[in-house]
Amino acid sequence: MATDLSMYLRRLPKAELHLHLEGAISPETLVELSERRIARPGAAKLPVLTLDEARALYRYTDFSGFLLAFKAITEQLHSAEDYELASLRMLERLHAQGVVHAEVYVSVGVVYYWRRTSFEPLFAGMERARIAAEQQWGITCFWIFDAVRHFGPEEAARVFRKAAEMRHEFPSIIGIGIGGDERRTGAEPFRELYEEARAAGLRLTAHAGETVGPGGIWGAINIGAERIGHALTAIEDADLMAVLAERQIPLEICITSNVRTASCASLAEHPVRSYFDAGLMVTINSDDPALFGSDLEDEYRLAAQQFDFTREQLRELASNSLEASFLPPERKVAWLQALEQVV
Ligand code: ADE
Ligand code: ZN
């Protein structure tokens, strides 16, 4: 039975701002994709996955292993139909948690680098799902094209320029970001590409300070990132904390992710409470729910139960998520008013 807290969390209109489409796919859905593929005339004849085989893809013990697991899951996506079903399932689950708007990373960088295939046909499936979800459940969704930083700026350029080109036809493509391994590649090599993306009207995000120190977050801010994914190590630098507070730069905090990838040694050491108390613009997100066994509602529940966020503070986190979204101002105002009505 759902607890009072769960019901309350579900009632809060909120935005999910740091969620990877591929990391939201469950092993069960991967199996279903492989079965549907076999049944589809003309589809690639790949072997059907068993549930055990699918589950094996989700195992990792450290951050590098996690990135490999993420890549292995992404490699299971072959067609527009695969992207469509994955997107639809993701949006259905978000809606069930009271998420009214999502800004979802899609790893175009992985598709380009490992697949050497064009992305437009796959994107058509994502768009079908996005439109169907909005019609059925009222949830809205923007896409963020994510490059893999350790593949370097030339590969990132392909991803960002594709986003810039496609957004004319598909305004749901709202921005770009860099994920992957920041221990291997910092933010600075992407400076010019970020400038170019901004000039093309794209919004800028970056994973930063997840597996490296505060220098990684300074780097992301310096190249113009408007939101910071993770920002786990900002706590180590008082000057950075002051800048983040003063500028109210939104942080896409992903608590369970940080512990599961061993980026944070333990839940007790996670800085989310310190950030909030220091007046930083904290948002709560799930990152890769299928890899971490934790969805957005779980993350808010964790904030309440492990970090003592009161109900009013949980409402503030939901409010931050709407405020920090790339929605137009009038849509933000409407959702913020709806949020105020929740008791
Ligand atoms: N890709 C998917 N999840 C990621 C994460 N947490 N960090 C870096 N790259 C990612
Ligand atoms: Zn991420």
Coordinates of all heavy atoms in Angstrom, one line a residue, residues 169-217:
E169 N 13.2 21.5 -37.4 CA 12.0 20.7 -37.7 C 11.4 20.2 -36.4 O 10.1 20.0 -36.3 CB 12.3 19.5 -38.6 CG 11.1 18.8 -39.1 CD 11.5 17.6 -40.0 OE1 12.6 17.5 -40.4 OE2 10.6 16.8 -40.3
F170 N 12.2 19.9 -35.4 CA 11.8 19.3 -34.1 C 12.1 20.2 -32.9 O 13.2 20.0 -32.3 CB 12.4 17.9 -34.0 CG 12.2 17.0 -35.1 CD1 13.2 16.7 -36.0 CD2 10.9 16.4 -35.2 CE1 12.9 15.8 -37.1 CE2 10.7 15.5 -36.3 CZ 11.7 15.2 -37.2
P171 N 11.3 21.1 -32.6 CA 11.6 22.0 -31.5 C 11.7 21.3 -30.1 O 12.1 21.9 -29.1 CB 10.4 23.0 -31.5 CG 9.7 22.8 -32.7 CD 10.0 21.5 -33.2
S172 N 11.3 20.0 -30.1 CA 11.4 19.3 -28.8 C 12.9 19.0 -28.5 O 13.2 18.6 -27.4 CB 10.7 17.9 -28.9 OG 11.2 17.2 -30.0
I173 N 13.8 19.2 -29.5 CA 15.2 19.1 -29.2 C 15.7 20.4 -28.6 O 15.9 21.4 -29.3 CB 16.0 18.8 -30.5 CG1 15.5 17.5 -31.2 CG2 17.5 18.7 -30.2 CD1 16.0 17.2 -32.6
I174 N 15.8 20.4 -27.3 CA 16.0 21.6 -26.6 C 17.4 22.0 -26.3 O 17.8 23.2 -26.2 CB 15.2 21.6 -25.2 CG1 15.0 23.0 -24.7 CG2 15.9 20.8 -24.2 CD1 13.9 23.8 -25.4
G175 N 18.3 21.0 -26.2 CA 19.7 21.3 -25.8 C 20.7 20.2 -26.1 O 20.3 19.2 -26.7
I176 N 21.9 20.4 -25.6 CA 22.9 19.4 -25.7 C 23.7 19.3 -24.4 O 23.5 20.1 -23.4 CB 24.0 19.9 -26.8 CG1 24.5 21.3 -26.5 CG2 23.4 19.8 -28.2 CD1 25.8 21.4 -25.8
G177 N 24.4 18.2 -24.3 CA 25.2 17.9 -23.1 C 26.4 17.0 -23.4 O 26.5 16.5 -24.5
I178 N 27.2 16.9 -22.4 CA 28.3 15.9 -22.4 C 28.3 15.0 -21.2 O 28.2 15.4 -20.1 CB 29.7 16.6 -22.5 CG1 29.9 17.8 -21.6 CG2 30.1 17.0 -24.0 CD1 31.3 18.4 -21.6
G179 N 28.3 13.7 -21.5 CA 28.4 12.7 -20.5 C 29.7 11.9 -20.7 O 30.6 12.4 -21.3
G180 N 29.7 10.7 -20.1 CA 30.9 9.9 -20.3 C 31.9 10.1 -19.1 O 31.5 10.5 -18.0
D181 N 33.2 10.0 -19.5 CA 34.2 9.9 -18.4 C 35.0 11.2 -18.3 O 35.9 11.4 -19.1 CB 35.1 8.7 -18.7 CG 36.0 8.3 -17.5 OD1 36.2 9.2 -16.6 OD2 36.4 7.2 -17.5
E182 N 34.7 12.0 -17.3 CA 35.4 13.3 -17.2 C 36.8 13.2 -16.6 O 37.6 14.1 -16.7 CB 34.6 14.3 -16.4 CG 34.0 13.8 -15.2 CD 33.3 14.8 -14.3 OE1 33.5 16.0 -14.4 OE2 32.5 14.3 -13.4
R183 N 37.1 12.0 -16.2 CA 38.5 11.8 -15.7 C 39.4 11.8 -16.9 O 40.6 12.0 -16.9 CB 38.6 10.4 -15.0 CG 37.8 10.3 -13.7 CD 37.7 8.9 -13.2 NE 37.1 8.0 -14.1 CZ 36.8 6.8 -13.9 NH1 37.0 6.3 -12.7 NH2 36.2 6.0 -14.8
R184 N 38.9 11.4 -18.1 CA 39.6 11.4 -19.3 C 39.6 12.7 -20.1 O 40.5 13.0 -20.8 CB 39.2 10.2 -20.2 CG 39.5 8.9 -19.6 CD 38.8 7.7 -20.1 NE 39.0 7.4 -21.5 CZ 38.4 6.5 -22.3 NH1 37.4 5.8 -21.7 NH2 38.7 6.3 -23.5
T185 N 38.4 13.4 -20.1 CA 38.3 14.6 -20.9 C 37.5 15.6 -20.1 O 36.3 15.3 -19.8 CB 37.6 14.3 -22.2 OG1 38.1 13.1 -22.8 CG2 37.7 15.5 -23.2
G186 N 38.1 16.8 -19.9 CA 37.4 17.8 -19.1 C 36.5 18.6 -20.0 O 36.1 18.1 -21.1
A187 N 36.1 19.8 -19.6 CA 35.1 20.6 -20.3 C 35.7 21.5 -21.4 O 35.2 21.8 -22.4 CB 34.3 21.4 -19.4
E188 N 36.9 22.0 -21.1 CA 37.6 23.0 -21.9 C 37.6 22.7 -23.4 O 37.3 23.6 -24.2 CB 39.0 23.3 -21.3 CG 39.7 24.5 -21.9 CD 38.8 25.8 -21.7 OE1 38.1 25.9 -20.7 OE2 38.9 26.6 -22.7
P189 N 37.9 21.4 -23.8 CA 38.0 21.2 -25.2 C 36.6 21.4 -26.0 O 36.6 21.5 -27.2 CB 38.3 19.7 -25.3 CG 38.9 19.3 -24.0 CD 38.3 20.3 -23.0
F190 N 35.6 21.6 -25.2 CA 34.3 21.7 -25.8 C 33.8 23.2 -25.9 O 32.7 23.5 -26.3 CB 33.2 20.9 -25.1 CG 33.6 19.4 -25.1 CD1 34.3 18.9 -24.0 CD2 33.3 18.6 -26.2 CE1 34.7 17.5 -24.0 CE2 33.7 17.2 -26.1 CZ 34.4 16.7 -25.1
R191 N 34.7 24.1 -25.4 CA 34.3 25.5 -25.3 C 33.7 26.1 -26.6 O 32.6 26.6 -26.6 CB 35.5 26.3 -24.9 CG 35.3 27.9 -24.9 CD 36.6 28.6 -24.6 NE 37.0 28.4 -23.2 CZ 36.5 29.0 -22.2 NH1 35.5 30.0 -22.3 NH2 36.9 28.8 -20.9
E192 N 34.4 25.9 -27.7 CA 33.9 26.5 -29.0 C 32.6 25.9 -29.4 O 31.7 26.5 -29.9 CB 35.0 26.4 -30.1 CG 36.0 27.5 -29.9 CD 37.2 27.3 -30.8 OE1 37.1 26.6 -31.8 OE2 38.3 27.8 -30.5
L193 N 32.5 24.6 -29.2 CA 31.3 23.9 -29.6 C 30.1 24.3 -28.8 O 29.0 24.4 -29.3 CB 31.5 22.3 -29.5 CG 32.5 21.7 -30.5 CD1 32.6 20.2 -30.2 CD2 32.0 21.9 -31.9
Y194 N 30.3 24.6 -27.5 CA 29.3 25.1 -26.7 C 28.8 26.5 -27.1 O 27.6 26.7 -27.2 CB 29.7 25.1 -25.2 CG 29.3 23.8 -24.5 CD1 29.6 22.6 -25.0 CD2 28.5 23.8 -23.3 CE1 29.3 21.4 -24.3 CE2 28.1 22.7 -22.7 CZ 28.5 21.4 -23.2 OH 28.1 20.3 -22.6
E195 N 29.8 27.3 -27.5 CA 29.4 28.6 -28.0 C 28.6 28.5 -29.3 O 27.6 29.2 -29.5 CB 30.8 29.4 -28.3 CG 30.6 30.8 -28.5 CD 29.7 31.5 -27.4 OE1 29.9 31.3 -26.2 OE2 28.7 32.1 -27.9
E196 N 29.0 27.6 -30.2 CA 28.3 27.4 -31.4 C 26.9 26.9 -31.2 O 25.9 27.3 -31.8 CB 29.1 26.3 -32.2 CG 28.6 26.1 -33.6 CD 29.4 25.0 -34.3 OE1 30.6 25.0 -34.2 OE2 28.7 24.2 -35.0
A197 N 26.8 25.9 -30.2 CA 25.4 25.4 -29.9 C 24.5 26.5 -29.3 O 23.4 26.6 -29.7 CB 25.6 24.2 -28.9
R198 N 25.1 27.3 -28.5 CA 24.3 28.4 -27.9 C 23.8 29.3 -29.0 O 22.7 29.7 -29.0 CB 25.1 29.2 -26.9 CG 24.3 30.3 -26.2 CD 25.1 31.4 -25.6 NE 26.0 30.9 -24.5 CZ 25.5 30.7 -23.3 NH1 24.3 30.8 -23.0 NH2 26.4 30.3 -22.4
A199 N 24.7 29.6 -29.9 CA 24.4 30.5 -31.0 C 23.3 29.9 -31.9 O 22.5 30.7 -32.5 CB 25.6 30.9 -31.8
A200 N 23.2 28.6 -31.9 CA 22.2 27.9 -32.7 C 20.9 27.8 -31.9 O 19.9 27.2 -32.4 CB 22.7 26.5 -33.1
G201 N 20.8 28.4 -30.7 CA 19.6 28.4 -30.0 C 19.4 27.2 -29.0 O 18.3 27.0 -28.5
L202 N 20.5 26.4 -28.9 CA 20.3 25.2 -28.0 C 20.7 25.6 -26.6 O 21.5 26.5 -26.3 CB 21.3 24.1 -28.5 CG 20.9 23.5 -29.8 CD1 22.1 22.8 -30.5 CD2 19.8 22.5 -29.6
R203 N 20.1 24.9 -25.6 CA 20.4 25.1 -24.2 C 21.5 24.2 -23.8 O 21.7 23.1 -24.4 CB 19.2 24.8 -23.3 CG 17.9 25.6 -23.8 CD 18.1 27.1 -23.8 NE 18.3 27.6 -22.5 CZ 17.4 28.1 -21.6 NH1 16.1 28.1 -22.0 NH2 17.7 28.6 -20.4
L204 N 22.3 24.6 -22.8 CA 23.6 23.9 -22.6 C 23.6 23.3 -21.2 O 23.4 23.9 -20.2 CB 24.8 24.9 -22.7 CG 24.8 25.8 -23.9 CD1 26.0 26.8 -23.8 CD2 24.9 25.0 -25.2
T205 N 23.9 22.0 -21.2 CA 24.1 21.3 -19.9 C 25.4 20.5 -19.9 O 26.0 20.4 -21.0 CB 23.0 20.2 -19.7 OG1 23.2 19.1 -20.6 CG2 21.6 20.8 -19.9
A206 N 25.9 20.1 -18.8 CA 27.1 19.2 -18.8 C 27.1 18.4 -17.5 O 26.8 18.9 -16.4 CB 28.3 20.1 -18.9
H207 N 27.5 17.1 -17.7 CA 27.8 16.3 -16.5 C 29.1 16.9 -16.0 O 30.1 17.1 -16.8 CB 28.1 14.9 -16.9 CG 26.8 14.1 -17.2 ND1 26.0 14.3 -18.3 CD2 26.3 13.0 -16.6 CE1 25.0 13.5 -18.3 NE2 25.2 12.6 -17.3
A208 N 29.2 17.2 -14.7 CA 30.5 17.7 -14.2 C 30.6 17.5 -12.7 O 29.6 17.6 -12.0 CB 30.6 19.2 -14.5
G209 N 31.9 17.2 -12.2 CA 32.1 17.0 -10.8 C 31.4 15.8 -10.3 O 31.0 15.7 -9.2
E210 N 31.3 14.8 -11.2 CA 30.8 13.5 -10.8 C 31.9 12.5 -10.3 O 31.9 12.0 -9.3 CB 30.0 12.9 -12.0 CG 29.3 11.5 -11.7 CD 28.7 10.9 -12.9 OE1 29.0 11.3 -14.0 OE2 27.8 10.0 -12.7
T211 N 32.9 12.5 -11.2 CA 34.1 11.6 -10.8 C 35.4 12.3 -10.7 O 36.4 11.7 -10.5 CB 34.3 10.5 -11.9 OG1 34.3 11.1 -13.2 CG2 33.1 9.5 -11.9
V212 N 35.3 13.7 -10.9 CA 36.5 14.5 -10.6 C 36.2 15.6 -9.7 O 35.0 15.8 -9.3 CB 37.1 15.1 -11.9 CG1 37.4 14.1 -13.0 CG2 36.1 16.2 -12.5
G213 N 37.2 16.3 -9.2 CA 37.0 17.4 -8.2 C 36.3 18.6 -8.7 O 35.8 18.6 -9.9
P214 N 36.2 19.7 -7.9 CA 35.5 20.9 -8.2 C 36.0 21.6 -9.5 O 35.2 22.3 -10.2 CB 35.7 21.8 -7.0 CG 36.6 21.1 -6.1 CD 36.7 19.7 -6.5
G215 N 37.2 21.3 -9.9 CA 37.8 21.9 -11.1 C 36.9 21.5 -12.3 O 36.7 22.3 -13.3
G216 N 36.3 20.3 -12.3 CA 35.5 19.9 -13.4 C 34.2 20.8 -13.5 O 33.7 21.0 -14.6
I217 N 33.7 21.2 -12.3 CA 32.5 22.0 -12.3 C 32.8 23.5 -12.7 O 32.1 24.1 -13.5 CB 31.9 22.0 -10.9 CG1 31.6 20.6 -10.5 CG2 30.6 22.9 -10.9 CD1 31.2 20.4 -9.0

